[in-house]
Amino acid sequence: DPIVIAHGAGSVSFVKHGDKPFVVAGVLKPTGTPVDRTIHVSLEGIEAIHVDWQEGMPVQGQTISDEQARTMDLTPRQITAFLVKLKSPMATFGVQRMVNNYREEPLSAILPGVALQQLWEITGVAEKTLMAVSSFVVVVGMLGMLTALLTSLNERRREMAILRSIGARPLHVFILIIGEAMGITLLGILLGVVMLYGLLVVAKPVVLSMFGFYLAIGGISAYEALLMGVIFLAGTLIGIVPGWCIYRYSLADGMTVRI
């Protein structure tokens, strides 16, 4: 299939190399990285499509066909960037210093790992912001559960009094309320995990086809398990408040008929 390279951004093309299209020679094995969305061409091919260009624009009235371009010397005279893999990692900083101090040409050697680390430091601010928002969501959810349990206590006084009258101890009633809070919290955690993995399964092929990113679906990490444990503990502690209130209600208060 022919592919026409164009100058532009995204779906907007300013100038196209329609007179010298490339032909797909093969498809590489998927790697699950953004490389899967790239097209690899030779440096000679880039030189060929620009032989009738000057200063970034095609020369008016001058057209060189692809057959004529093949007969020309297409050795690249300059390149913008290239990736170098060293045999010995110990020589990394020495080579970087040598390239940066090279006086014959204005060159700059960049370590991809360091550049990516700086990028993650920038995006780390957004990650911390999302973590803060998530924390507020958890707090609001806990307060909502506490409000619901406290609101239902008046309607459940008679129920708890009946349990007390048939032999349930105050501690049993206390544990019952805390168990309810623990159950609600655990159900919320399990529902969140199921929704997360369900969303990942649905979004995985879409993200891979549109952006070239492979979403690896793994198990729950130790950090995530710790967060879920903290949320479960917070839900349990929230249940102590209504549990203590119902613990203090007397049997007579629950059985009294109010007019």
Side-chain angles (χ1 to χ4, degrees), residues 97-120:
R97 182 171 58 255
M98 179 188 67
V99 172
N100 291 335
N101 295 333
Y102 187 69
R103 298 183 180 276
E104 301 297 329
E105 191 76 21
L107 302 177
S108 177
I110 300 175
L111 299 178
V114 177
L116 289 176
Q117 181 64 31
Q118 294 174 349
L119 176 62
W120 285 120

Side-chain angles (χ1 to χ4, degrees), residues 181-212:
M182 293 172 62
I184 295 175
T185 306
L186 182 60
L187 181 62
I189 293 175
L190 294 178
L191 183 60
V193 172
V194 171
M195 292 180 62
L196 171 63
Y197 280 94
L199 181 62
L200 288 176
V201 171
V202 174
K204 180 179 179 179
V206 178
V207 174
L208 182 61
S209 61
M210 295 184 61
F211 304 102

